[in-house]
Amino acid sequence: MIIDCHGHYTTAPRQHQAFRDAQLARLADASLPAPAPAAISDDEIRESVEDNQLKLLRRRGADLMLFSPKASGMEHHVPDAETARAWARVSNDLVHRVVGLFPRHFAGVCQLPQTPGGTLDDATAELRRCVESLGFVGCNLNPDPSGGYWTSPPLTDEYWFPLYEAMVELDVPAMIHVSTSCNPSFHTLGAHYLNADTSVFMQLLQADLFDRFPTLRFVIPHGGGAVPYHWGRYRGLAVRMGRPDPSEHVMNNVFFDTCVYHQAGIDLLHRVVPADNILFASEMLGAVRGADPETGIAWDDTKRYVDQADLTDEQRHKVFEANTRRVYPRLHARLTAEGR
C-alpha cells in the first residue's frame, strides 16, 4: 500500500471560497449579515476531486491520501476568533464530506482555528471535534499565525502545551504547516513555507519539548526545509550549545515528508535522514504544478523520485506505508479494521 501523507483540498468548489470572501467582507463592514456556509452538492465535490487529486493518485500508483483544507487558505493572520472558528469548521466539514464520498482513498487532517496571539482553546476544541466526531487522523499546526511576521512564541513554549496535551491524549500528530505570507519579503510558497519548516526544527533542537511530551509527533513537510542539506550545521550547533545530537534528541518525534521536487533532493534526503523518519508525500495539487521541462515529469509526481532512490525494499516499504501508519496510529487502526 502507498500512502501520501500530505494533500490539500486546493480544488474545492468555488462556493467555498465565496463563503470565505463573505466572511472577510463582513469583517470590513459589520453591517453585512453573517454568511451561511455554502451549499455544495455531493456531485460538485465528486467532480472537484475525481478530476484532480483522485485521478492523479490512481494514475501515479498511490492508494490513499491524508487530506486537509487548502494550506494557504487557512489565513490564520485574520485576527477575529469567531471568524476563524467558523472558517475552520466549514473547511474541515468539507474535507469530511470528501472522505465520506471516497473512504478508500482519503483520510481527514484538520485545520485549526488559530489567530495571532489568541488562545488555543478553539484550536483544541476543533481538534477534538474532528478526531472524535469526524474520524480525522491528525491536524495541521501553524507555528506563525501572523503570516510571516513571527509574533508567536516558539513551538517549545508553554503557550502551545494545551494543544499538545490534547494531541497526546488523542494520539494524533501535527504536520507543521504555515498559511499565506502577509510579509512581502517572503513569498508564500517559495520562502515562507520553507522558512517555517527550517525554523521549527531549530526551535526543537534548542529545547527539551519531548522530555515533557515523549509521545508528541510532528511531521515537517517539504523534505524538512533546509534541514537535510544543512544537517552538519545543526549537529555542530547542538555541540556548540551543549545540546544532544539531533538524531537522539529530536528525531524520535520528528519526521520529514518527500515533497521535494527533483531527484537530487530526494536522494539527499534519503542519504541524510534515516528511512524510519521519512513519510511519502506529494502535496498534489499544491505549490508546484506542471512538469519539469527537462524530464517531462510532473514536479509533484514524487513517487517517481522515491522509486528511483537507492533504497532497499524494506526502506521503501517504510517510506511508502509503514512509517505513516506508525506516525498516524488512528489511520493504522482504521486501515486494519478495513482489512488493509
Side-chain angles (χ1 to χ4, degrees):
M1 187 176 190
I2 297 177
I3 304 171
D4 186 333
C5 80
H6 188 175
H8 299 295
Y9 197 4
T10 55
T11 58
R14 57 181 177 76
Q15 303 97 301
H16 184 56
Q17 184 60 46
F19 168 75
R20 179 58 170 174
D21 294 342
Q23 276 194 315
L24 299 179
R26 186 168 187 262
L27 288 178
D29 181 357
S31 67
L32 294 174
I40 301 173
S41 70
D42 285 353
D43 285 343
E44 288 173 307
I45 292 176
R46 288 191 188 94
E47 182 180 357
S48 72
V49 174
E50 285 179 332
D51 292 341
N52 294 292
Q53 291 90 350
L54 184 56
K55 179 176 71 175
L56 293 178
L57 199 70
R58 289 166 167 164
R59 178 185 296 170
R60 295 174 182 177
D63 299 290
L64 182 143
M65 173 180 277
L66 302 191
F67 209 48
S68 64
K70 181 180 176 182
S72 62
M74 295 187 297
E75 295 184 323
H76 292 132
H77 62 275
V78 177
D80 185 71
E82 181 180 357
T83 300
R85 283 195 302 271
W87 179 230
R89 188 179 187 96
V90 166
S91 298
N92 291 329
D93 286 349
L94 195 59
V95 166
H96 179 57
R97 291 180 64 190
V98 172
V99 175
L101 291 170
F102 303 101
R104 290 194 63 81
H105 298 290
F106 295 98
V109 170
C110 66
Q111 170 181 327
L112 301 177
Q114 298 176 242
T115 55
T119 75
L120 291 173
D121 293 347
D122 290 340
T124 302
E126 182 63 7
L127 175 66
R128 289 188 179 280
R129 183 185 78 92
C130 288
V131 172
E132 295 176 337
S133 299
L134 305 185
F136 281 36
V137 300
C139 64
N140 288 338
L141 175 60
N142 187 346
D144 174 36
S146 71
Y149 291 97
W150 289 90
T151 58
S152 293
L155 286 187
T156 52
D157 190 87
E158 291 184 2
Y159 166 79
W160 302 96
F161 286 7
L163 180 64
Y164 297 162
E165 289 167 358
M167 288 171 56
V168 168
E169 178 190 340
L170 296 167
D171 201 13
V172 295
M175 176 170 280
I176 303 301
H177 213 307
V178 290
S179 187
T180 192
S181 173
C182 302
N183 187 333
S185 296
F186 302 117
H187 185 274
T188 294
L189 307 176
H192 185 43
Y193 282 14
L194 305 182
N195 290 348
D197 303 335
T198 307
S199 297
V200 164
F201 186 83
M202 189 63 201
Q203 292 174 8
L204 299 174
L205 186 71
Q206 291 175 268
D208 297 308
L209 179 66
F210 301 123
D211 287 348
R212 182 178 179 113
F213 298 102
T215 61
L216 186 66
R217 300 180 301 282
F218 293 135
V219 178
I220 300 182
H222 318 117
V227 174
Y229 188 71
H230 289 287
W231 190 251
R233 173 179 288 260
Y234 293 105
R235 293 188 67 227
L237 287 171
V239 171
R240 182 177 179 180
M241 294 185 297
R243 306 294 299 165
D245 189 284
S247 62
E248 304 169 359
H249 178 52
V250 173
M251 297 304 283
N252 289 328
N253 304 80
V254 173
F255 306 86
F256 299 159
D257 76 12
T258 63
C259 290
V260 180
Y261 299 132
H262 64 139
Q263 190 66 50
I266 288 288
D267 292 343
L268 173 69
L269 174 65
H270 287 284
R271 284 200 300 269
V272 174
V273 177
D276 287 341
N277 292 83
I278 301 174
L279 279 59
F280 173 68
S282 68
E283 203 179 7
M284 67 176 187
L285 298 154
V288 186
R289 306 189 190 191
D292 184 340
E294 295 181 0
T295 65
I297 298 173
W299 298 108
D300 58 8
D301 187 359
T302 54
K303 182 178 179 296
R304 285 178 179 252
Y305 306 133
V306 176
D307 284 339
Q308 295 175 29
D310 185 17
L311 301 175
T312 66
D313 289 344
E314 180 184 4
Q315 290 171 328
R316 211 177 305 277
H317 171 67
K318 289 180 177 181
V319 172
F320 278 141
E321 178 182 0
N323 291 342
T324 301
R325 296 178 76 131
R326 176 166 54 90
V327 174
Y328 293 82
R330 286 181 176 266
L331 174 68
H332 175 63
R334 174 186 140 183
L335 294 175
T336 300
E338 296 170 355
R340 293 200 281 171

